[in-house]
RNA sequence: GCCCACGUAGCUCAGUCGGUAGAGCACACCCUUGGUAAGGGUGUGGUCAUGGGUUCAAGUCCCAUCGUGGGCUCCA
């Protein structure tokens, strides 16, 4: 099945300033166009500054992007942070010099003369003239036009648009952020260029907000939090991209898995378990050795027979399907598995929990008849949303990907599958985009992205039809007519992978998990040693009520214990001293600083269990 | 995999010009027994990622490897 994990960087969107999560107003849209012009213009100004500093610099491309801009350069030496400061300072001067941006359309000869010492520009000119690509490598429309923009001494091959004068760029609302390597044309066989990223806004306040947002992103970085909160570790000695779940991370995972299993039971799924390795011939038949081998680990030899570690669970589920003749009467079959798979990822792409080499998919396969498709798809979509909402995600963006040119399976089946997907999305009233021809070759799919607390989008859920595997494995069921038919097969993962979803959860909650997920839900804080026994007796009652509890019986002062609990982001702190012991109470302080105060132990238990039941933060 | 940067105590980091390793937190022990975000003292803890090289001398300079980070790329 498809990779349920989002492409790198898909989560990084800064929406709070521009759209506030709502629909974009006309005014905002105009502002957006203006921002884009500012950013694109800032890229040109930066290129001028770089060219002045490195007269031999070769320019590649420099577009506006979300939140800013970049420009790629071929330079004689690597850039340093000091270079960036210098370039940024020079940019401010250029802006102050107040150059007009002037567009010109020029002919080929002039273009070639103008950019004679700019090989990348010449290559772009070739491409534009051949009608293939525009300057961003996208297919161009209409007849090729060579357009340049000048401002002051600087000229660039560019379609625009730009602001009319450099002074429209607010010098206090720009900042250069980083240098990174980037291949020319994104092609690893072509030269590696240096890319400077910058950000640009209309006002200094917007810039400050954006930088503050980036700081917040950094503060919530799951790679830091999983370490600080003692949840998960990675080990050089154990190999990169392989997560180790510590006891506290394990508790959360267990809650997630238990909840997941219970939901699936209620949703009419069966839970299955399959092996971690399978014979080469299985992967040959499934097609993985032909199409997915570069993501699979090298085979191991078992008594002269090749075995592979599974990168996916589907072939195993199909083998189970085929253990006997299936009747239409037993369909749909909904088989779910928390299946741990291993995929080779190039070392450079590994990223905390968001991109790993071994992970557990919350996978399921649905086998059904054509008549059942619509209901099944609708049900899967509902089920997905219910699951995601349970974890505190409220906003979704849905993508429907349809039949690509190269595909397997009859168009009628594709048609039916796509219609069922579309109907389901519409029935749920979700905003969605259609990616025409963007489906996998084996079937159309829906991807759902969730929006986190910082407005970033993450892809977790994927629901994919598969017209390929049922054919390859010759899967059938006996219909009402006594004849054999090909079942529909749907792959789906809701959370995607537990590792990745966990990473997203950590960032979404900034490590302060809602009570039902918190590894420690309450900590007893005895004020003095004479309260420790009482604290333990209360802790036992809480444990019996099903709560995850600890007692901080160290000789620290109460204040220090509270601080420790705050740092651990424990939802409830229960202080017990003379007064509480006397009255058989606990004195509640919540993680958010609220102090509801003294209450009977039973009262606290009720309160906590209610928060657990309702998945409340506190 | 590629470009660049980084790797010093469990964690966060300092370490000057190459001259024989330091802080805070954590941990252990002792004192302290307190009322809503850090009480005090003492102590343990380092093959400076690994392996080579240069040098009288390497945490420091050079090379390689491993890992991490920012990106690129790929993503059935």
């Amino acid at each position: 099945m498809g990779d349920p994990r989002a492409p790198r960087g898909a989560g990084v969107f800064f929406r709070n300033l521009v759209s506030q999560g709502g629909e974009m107003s006309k005014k905002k849209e105009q502002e957006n166009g203006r921002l884009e012009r500012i950013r694109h213009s800032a890229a040109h100004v930066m290129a001028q500054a770089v060219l002045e500093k490195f007269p031999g610099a070769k320019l590649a491309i420099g577009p506006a992007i979300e939140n800013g801009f970049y420009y790629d350069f071929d330079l004689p030496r690597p850039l340093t942070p000091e270079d960036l400061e210098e370039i940024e300072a020079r940019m401010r001067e250029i802006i102050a010099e107040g150059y007009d941006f002037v567009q010109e359309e020029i002919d080929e000869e002039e273009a070639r003369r103008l950019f004679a010492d700019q090989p990348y520009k010449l290559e772009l000119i070739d491409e534009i003239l051949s009608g293939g690509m525009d300057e961003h490598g996208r297919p161009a429309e209409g007849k090729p036009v060579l357009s340049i923009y000048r401002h002051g001494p600087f000229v660039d091959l560019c379609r625009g648009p730009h602001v009319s004068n450099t002074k429209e760029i607010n010098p206090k609302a720009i900042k250069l952020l980083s240098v990174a390597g980037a291949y020319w044309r994104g092609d690893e066989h072509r030269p590696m260029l240096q890319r400077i990223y910058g950000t640009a806004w209309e006002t200094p306040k917007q810039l400050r907000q954006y930088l503050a947002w980036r700081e917040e992103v950094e503060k919530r970085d799951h790679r830091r939090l999983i370490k600080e909160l003692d949840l998960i570790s990675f080990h050089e000695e154990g190999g990169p991209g392989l997560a180790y779940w510590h006891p506290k991370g394990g508790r959360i995972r267990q809650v997630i898995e238990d909840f997941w299993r219970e939901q699936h039971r209620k949703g009419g799924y069966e839970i299955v378990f399959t092996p971690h390795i399978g014979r080469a011939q299985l992967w040959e038949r499934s097609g993985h050795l032909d199409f997915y081998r570069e993501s699979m680990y090298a085979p191991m030899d078992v008594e002269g027979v090749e075995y592979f570690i599974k990168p996916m669970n589907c072939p195993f589920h199909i083998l189970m399907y085929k253990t006997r003749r299936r009747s239409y009467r037993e369909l749909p079959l909904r088989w779910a598995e928390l299946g741990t798979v291993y995929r080779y990822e190039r070392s450079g792409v590994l990223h905390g929990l968001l991109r790993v080499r071994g992970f557990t998919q919350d996978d399921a396969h649905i086998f059904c008849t054509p008549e059942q498709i619509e209901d099944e798809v609708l049900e899967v979509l509902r089920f997905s949303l219910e699951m995601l909402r349970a974890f505190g995600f409220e906003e979704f963006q849905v993508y429907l990907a349809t039949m690509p040119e190269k595909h397997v399976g009859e168009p009628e089946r594709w048609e039916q599958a796509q219609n069922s997907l579309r109907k389901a999305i519409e029935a749920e009233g979700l905003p969605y985009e259609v990616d025409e021809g963007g489906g996998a070759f084996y079937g159309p799919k829906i991807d759902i992205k969730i929006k986190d607390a910082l407005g970033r989008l993450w892809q977790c859920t994927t629901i994919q039809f598969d017209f390929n595997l049922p054919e390859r494995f010759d899967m059938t069921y006996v219909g009402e007519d006594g004849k054999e038919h090909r079942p529909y097969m749907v792959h789906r993962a809701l959370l995607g992978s537990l590792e990745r979803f966990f990473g997203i959860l950590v960032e979404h909650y900034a490590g302060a998990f809602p009570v039902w997920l918190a590894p420690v839900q309450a900590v007893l804080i005895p004020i003095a040693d004479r309260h420790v026994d009482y604290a333990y007796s209360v802790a036992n009652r809480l444990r019996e009520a099903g709560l995850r509890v600890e007692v901080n019986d160290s000789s620290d002062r109460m204040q220090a214990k509270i601080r420790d609990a705050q740092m651990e982001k424990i939802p409830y702190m229960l202080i017990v001293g003379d007064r509480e012991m006397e009255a058989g109470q606990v004195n509640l302080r919540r993680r958010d600083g609220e102090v509801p105060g003294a209450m009977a132990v039973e009262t606290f238990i009720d309160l906590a269990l209610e928060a657990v039941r309702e998945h409340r933060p506190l």
Side-chain angles (χ1 to χ4, degrees):
Chain A
M1 77 167 301
D3 192 329
R5 296 162 300 160
R8 182 99 184 240
V12 184
F13 286 96
F14 181 61
R15 293 165 186 283
N16 298 348
L17 271 186
V18 181
S19 75
Q20 294 293 355
E23 276 185 32
M24 227 181 243
S25 67
K26 223 180 185 136
K27 187 171 163 251
K28 294 221 159 133
E29 217 173 287
Q30 281 166 2
E31 279 170 13
N32 233 17
R34 186 171 154 68
L35 262 179
E36 199 181 319
R37 288 201 306 279
I38 288 174
R39 288 168 181 165
H40 196 168
S41 303
H44 278 218
V45 170
M46 178 168 78
Q48 179 188 344
V50 170
L51 209 49
E52 285 175 7
K53 191 173 163 62
F54 300 95
K58 307 290 181 234
L59 306 189
I61 61 169
I65 54 172
E66 176 133 32
N67 306 327
F69 59 91
Y70 68 79
Y71 212 114
D72 288 344
F73 305 96
D74 198 342
L75 299 172
R77 64 164 174 86
L79 289 165
T80 64
E82 294 73 49
D83 291 329
L84 280 200
E85 277 173 36
E86 216 178 289
I87 293 165
E88 189 179 309
R90 178 63 191 134
M91 283 174 71
R92 297 212 166 84
E93 290 170 14
I94 294 170
I95 288 169
E97 284 159 23
Y99 300 113
D100 284 335
F101 279 90
V102 184
Q103 184 186 23
E104 269 176 60
E105 286 182 11
I106 57 175
D107 60 26
E108 180 180 350
E109 196 187 338
E110 196 184 350
R112 291 196 189 281
R113 186 182 52 74
L114 208 49
F115 297 105
D117 57 350
Q118 289 290 347
Y120 300 105
K121 296 295 177 190
L122 290 175
E123 190 175 327
L124 289 171
I125 290 168
D126 288 340
E127 283 181 13
I128 293 168
L129 290 175
S130 70
M133 303 286 191
D134 67 11
E135 63 146 3
H136 303 305
R138 291 186 294 243
E141 294 164 11
K143 67 168 188 203
V145 174
L146 291 171
S147 158
I148 57 168
Y149 268 84
R150 291 178 189 277
H151 73 267
F154 182 80
V155 58
D156 198 0
L157 183 71
C158 179
R159 188 182 44 181
H162 284 279
V163 295
S164 54
N165 188 284
T166 53
K167 285 198 164 169
E168 286 177 51
I169 304 167
N170 188 327
K172 288 180 180 156
I174 59 166
K175 186 171 171 59
L176 299 188
L177 300 173
S178 59
V179 191
Y183 298 106
W184 167 237
R185 284 296 192 220
D187 181 344
E188 62 182 306
H189 303 296
R190 315 204 61 181
M192 175 68 73
L193 307 172
Q194 295 192 65
R195 173 172 298 177
I196 304 179
Y197 281 97
T199 188
W201 300 86
E202 287 194 56
T203 65
K205 187 180 171 198
Q206 284 179 342
L207 175 66
R208 277 199 304 278
Q209 283 178 316
Y210 174 64
L211 295 176
W213 180 82
R214 281 169 60 102
E215 261 174 52
E216 182 63 29
V217 167
E218 209 173 308
K219 257 197 276 176
R220 288 173 181 241
D221 191 325
H222 72 280
R223 289 167 301 183
R224 170 220 295 270
L225 287 170
I226 57 175
K227 201 189 280 184
E228 282 177 6
L229 298 175
D230 194 17
L231 303 175
I232 288 180
S233 58
F234 290 90
H235 299 273
E236 179 170 349
E237 197 176 0
L242 302 167
Y244 291 65
W245 296 69
H246 295 204
K248 281 183 182 158
R251 286 187 205 172
I252 303 175
R253 175 161 171 168
Q254 213 170 21
V255 174
I256 294 172
E257 288 189 0
D258 289 347
F259 176 75
W260 185 92
R261 287 196 191 91
E262 180 59 12
Q263 291 294 106
H264 279 73
R265 192 188 60 75
K266 287 187 198 160
Y269 286 80
E270 298 284 355
I271 306 288
V272 299
F273 300 85
T274 62
H276 286 74
I277 58 173
R279 281 177 68 171
Q281 72 180 49
L282 175 67
W283 303 109
E284 255 158 43
R285 183 161 188 192
S286 69
H288 285 92
L289 286 183
D290 283 336
F291 298 106
Y292 202 61
R293 183 150 194 166
E294 71 275 13
S295 294
M296 294 170 69
Y297 290 100
M300 60 193 99
D301 182 298
V302 181
E303 295 177 336
V305 179
E306 277 189 350
Y307 281 73
F308 286 86
I309 297 191
K310 67 175 170 183
M312 296 188 192
N313 305 299
C314 17
F316 296 58
H317 289 196
I318 291 172
L319 290 184
M320 292 194 288
Y321 179 96
K322 285 171 61 74
T323 51
R324 55 182 167 82
R325 265 165 88 93
R326 300 286 173 178
S327 157
Y328 74 96
R329 291 171 178 275
E330 59 183 314
L331 301 183
L333 291 173
R334 305 187 192 96
W335 289 351
E337 173 173 13
L338 291 168
T340 302
V341 298
Y342 291 86
R343 296 180 184 175
Y344 168 69
E345 300 278 3
R346 299 162 100 186
S347 55
V349 307
L350 298 175
H351 184 85
L353 287 169
L354 301 182
R355 199 64 183 260
V356 289
R357 284 181 172 160
F359 54 96
T360 300
Q361 288 185 305
D362 70 318
D363 207 357
H365 296 97
I366 295 166
F367 306 106
C368 67
T369 68
E371 296 72 40
Q372 293 166 335
I373 267 299
E374 231 170 77
D375 286 348
E376 283 303 310
V377 167
L378 180 59
E379 195 43 45
V380 172
L381 185 62
R382 280 198 187 131
F383 190 69
S384 309
L385 297 172
E386 192 184 329
M387 184 78 75
L388 296 171
R389 288 191 176 112
F391 284 97
F393 298 100
E394 292 297 333
E395 284 188 64
F396 311 101
Q397 183 60 243
V398 181
Y399 301 83
L400 171 62
T402 62
M403 189 171 77
E405 243 172 76
K406 218 184 120 208
H407 62 269
V408 299
E410 305 116 49
E412 306 80 61
R413 285 208 152 202
W414 277 82
E415 195 61 30
Q416 191 192 4
Q418 284 165 197
N419 282 339
S420 67
L421 292 172
R422 191 188 308 266
K423 273 190 191 167
I425 300 169
E426 283 168 4
E428 287 299 300
L430 296 166
Y432 71 102
E433 287 171 27
V434 179
D435 182 3
E436 291 292 349
F441 76 85
Y442 52 81
K445 64 171 179 176
I446 292 178
D447 290 330
I448 303 176
K449 288 185 180 174
I450 56 180
K451 192 189 250 191
D452 77 4
L454 290 183
R456 298 173 298 176
L457 291 172
W458 304 94
Q459 189 197 319
C460 293
T461 305
T462 183
I463 303 169
Q464 311 193 340
F465 276 86
D466 192 324
F467 299 130
N468 182 42
L469 291 178
E471 287 292 330
R472 283 178 170 267
F473 283 91
D474 192 27
M475 298 172 73
T476 58
Y477 66 92
V478 179
E480 221 171 332
D481 56 5
K483 293 185 184 140
E484 295 205 325
H485 301 269
R486 189 75 76 210
Y488 273 74
M489 176 176 180
V490 176
H491 310 261
R492 52 110 275 205
L494 306 185
L495 310 179
S497 85
L498 292 179
E499 285 76 6
R500 181 180 145 81
F501 187 72
F502 188 76
I504 294 167
L505 268 187
V506 168
E507 301 206 357
H508 181 59
Y509 289 117
F513 292 100
V515 184
W516 73 292
L517 291 171
V520 179
Q521 296 168 314
V523 57
L524 270 294
I525 299 182
I527 291 177
D529 283 351
R530 63 179 178 282
H531 311 124
V532 167
D533 286 346
Y534 176 66
Y536 274 105
S537 75
V538 173
N540 281 335
R541 284 169 70 188
L542 300 185
R543 260 183 222 118
E544 258 163 50
L547 293 166
R548 296 184 289 276
V549 189
E550 279 179 2
V551 177
N552 186 342
D553 62 2
S554 77
S555 67
D556 286 338
R557 302 178 62 206
M558 179 201 66
Q559 280 87 342
K561 294 181 186 179
I562 287 173
R563 180 167 190 275
D564 287 347
Q566 289 287 154
M567 304 286 277
E568 271 186 69
K569 303 174 197 285
I570 298 170
Y572 302 124
M573 286 152 257
L574 302 171
I575 287 109
V576 292
D578 290 333
R579 299 201 290 266
E580 288 74 21
M581 210 160 82
E582 186 72 22
Q585 294 184 320
V586 291
N587 198 308
L588 173 62
R589 175 199 163 95
R590 309 197 320 182
R591 176 174 62 197
D592 62 359
E594 296 281 313
V595 183
M599 63 184 71
V601 176
E602 292 308 319
T603 309
F604 171 71
I605 290 176
D606 289 348
L607 171 161
L609 289 181
E610 190 180 292
V612 168
R613 210 164 37 240
E614 296 181 2
H615 291 194
R616 283 209 309 261
L618 279 169

